[in-house]
Amino acid sequence: MSTSTINIGICGLGTVGQGVWKHIESNRAALESRLGVTLNLARASVRDLTKKRSVRIAASKFTTDPLSIATDPSIHIVCELIGGVTLAREVTLAALKAGKTVVSANKALLCKHGPELFAAARKHGGHFFFEASVAGGIPIIKALREGLVANRFKLIYGILNGTCNYILTRMEREGLSYQAILAEAKVLGYAEADESLDVEGWDTAHKASILAFLAHGTWVPVEKMLVEGITQITQADLAFARENGYAIKLLAVITREIDTGEVFVRVHPTLVPKTKVLANVNEVYNGISVTGDVVGETVYIGRGAGQDPTASAVISDIVDGVILLNRGNTHLPELAETRASLTPLQSITGRYYLRLEVKDEPGVLAKISGATAKLHVSIASVLQRPSDMPGAASLILTTHKSNEKAIRATITRLRRLSSVLGEPVLLRIADF
Ligand code: NAP
Ligand code: HSE
């Protein structure tokens, strides 16, 4: 089928949807001349018709029913920019079952229902694109799928959440609490509708799951990952990082043992040495390091959230969709899905940072070192600082190389000590 006018339906006209509309309008001449077609922004769906939008759209193009766009026979490309996993899944499946091309920015949906969506696209002859689902404007999906296809990937790690990086950067620079900055990240359109997805690490986990699938052909559900967010990070942790040559970044780390095929995906705040490129990726920017066995290390940096970078990625998928519609299937074959075992926790090794609020009394250090010794976790350094809690001290420990199983068991023991007040804060120290 070749068509000279491509009708596009935008389901969800919020931060991302309005950006897509705006930038297709503003770059229409260049896009159309490259593609040799007319791009017709035909319909848009919203929840609230009375809300003011930043783009001017004829009232006749609006609906509150995204399914009517997904099933409209005149629409060629449906953009699912609603978010969530319920209505978004219905809309995406309805469009795919009608043989349409669907472009999505929805990492949560892809992570939860990816195999079902790919199968529906295959069965009904449509296509499913998702460049905007990971790392905003960075074309990391294309890089893994196409540019780096010659490689096997031992290590991929990166900053995948713009909101968290924005919060950590501004906490570090301005000494503010994360709650104050989160409110700004929401206004700027960086945060998810449910911001706990950002700050508790789940959005990063969804993105890491997608990258792991693209790199290794296996879906690692978020429940099987180690996922920790940034809500426990305080100025005490940032001060330690600054004084010791680190930056704190929320990292996704995807490892694969090339010999055994074991995969592991984890998300946690990490002390990254300032000498590393990613330690210097700040504000809403994302950064991803991909090490391939053929290419070596490659690093990608760009804005990871917000209207414009996300629109850039969505429009690149629309362009790919138009090419497929008009020139036939020029894409690489899809990755075959495989099952991989997970690396056991005792094989996930590294050095650790632990901050404990403890009673400021004799014998506390001995009890703590007793707990770490029981699990063969060897302490590398101890620092005592004043605590915000009355009658308490803040203890910062770093460890020699240990493993996730031992450090988790250590934390369980430390929690049981009457001299340890509150929840221990654990950070990983990057050794990659
Ligand atoms: P958003 O600003 O909240 O926009 C959501 C849109 O969907 C709004 O137009 C909303 O209508 C509409 N909508 C929501 N629930 C609906 C319902 N029940 N029925 C009909 N319409 C409904 O969200 P966003 O930030 O644009 O994000 C959209 C998607 O892109 C999400 O999957 C998100 O994870 C992903 N994403 C976002 C970013 C970013 O930086 N914001 C970056 C990458 C990916 P109203 O406008 O009338 O409320
Ligand atoms: N809330 C997400 C972030 C949007 O802050 O990275 C981009 O996926």
Side-chain angles (χ1 to χ4, degrees), residues 39-60:
L39 297 174
N40 177 31
L41 289 164
R43 300 184 63 189
S45 78
V46 294
R47 183 172 32 196
D48 178 358
L49 288 169
T50 64
K51 219 185 241 182
K52 244 182 123 66
R53 312 280 156 186
S54 63
V55 281
R56 282 169 69 95
I57 303 172
S60 60

Side-chain angles (χ1 to χ4, degrees), residues 357-373:
E357 303 306 310
V358 297
K359 287 183 188 161
D360 197 3
E361 61 189 20
V364 171
L365 262 181
K367 286 183 199 156
I368 289 167
S369 58
T372 59

Side-chain angles (χ1 to χ4, degrees), residues 290-308:
V290 179
T291 300
D293 58 347
V294 181
V295 73
E297 186 181 14
T298 58
V299 180
Y300 308 82
I301 296 171
R303 284 188 293 162
Q307 186 168 78
D308 295 341

Side-chain angles (χ1 to χ4, degrees), residues 131-269:
E131 184 62 70
S133 66
V134 184
I138 303 174
I140 190 66
I141 306 291
K142 238 185 196 340
L144 281 174
R145 223 180 199 172
E146 299 177 25
L148 299 176
V149 71
N151 293 268
R152 289 183 301 167
F153 305 101
K154 195 173 156 53
L155 174 67
I156 298 174
Y157 71 94
I159 300 164
L160 301 181
N161 185 272
T163 302
C164 288
N165 209 33
Y166 182 76
I167 292 172
L168 289 171
T169 304
R170 295 209 41 214
M171 278 177 79
E172 214 285 319
R173 286 184 187 159
E174 296 162 49
L176 300 170
S177 72
Y178 98 85
Q179 286 94 343
I181 308 164
L182 176 59
E184 280 187 44
K186 287 192 81 120
V187 172
L188 290 165
Y190 300 160
E192 295 302 303
D194 171 3
E195 71 259 21
S196 67
L197 291 170
D198 294 297
V199 294
E200 288 173 10
W202 298 108
D203 177 78
T204 301
H206 291 146
K207 292 165 175 168
S209 182
I210 296 168
L211 293 186
F213 172 68
L214 290 170
H216 307 305
T218 191
W219 285 103
V220 179
V222 292
E223 301 77 33
K224 302 267 181 200
M225 298 178 189
L226 186 167
V227 181
E228 293 167 15
I230 63 164
T231 57
Q232 304 291 321
I233 307 285
T234 66
Q235 289 300 331
D237 307 313
L238 292 160
F240 175 91
R242 190 168 46 244
E243 288 156 19
N244 291 277
Y246 295 103
I248 299 180
K249 299 291 175 191
L250 183 68
L251 289 190
V253 184
I254 304 163
T255 45
R256 174 159 218 185
E257 302 304 321
I258 299 291
D259 297 341
T260 62
E262 286 168 353
V263 172
F264 203 79
V265 184
R266 51 203 167 103
V267 173
H268 43 62

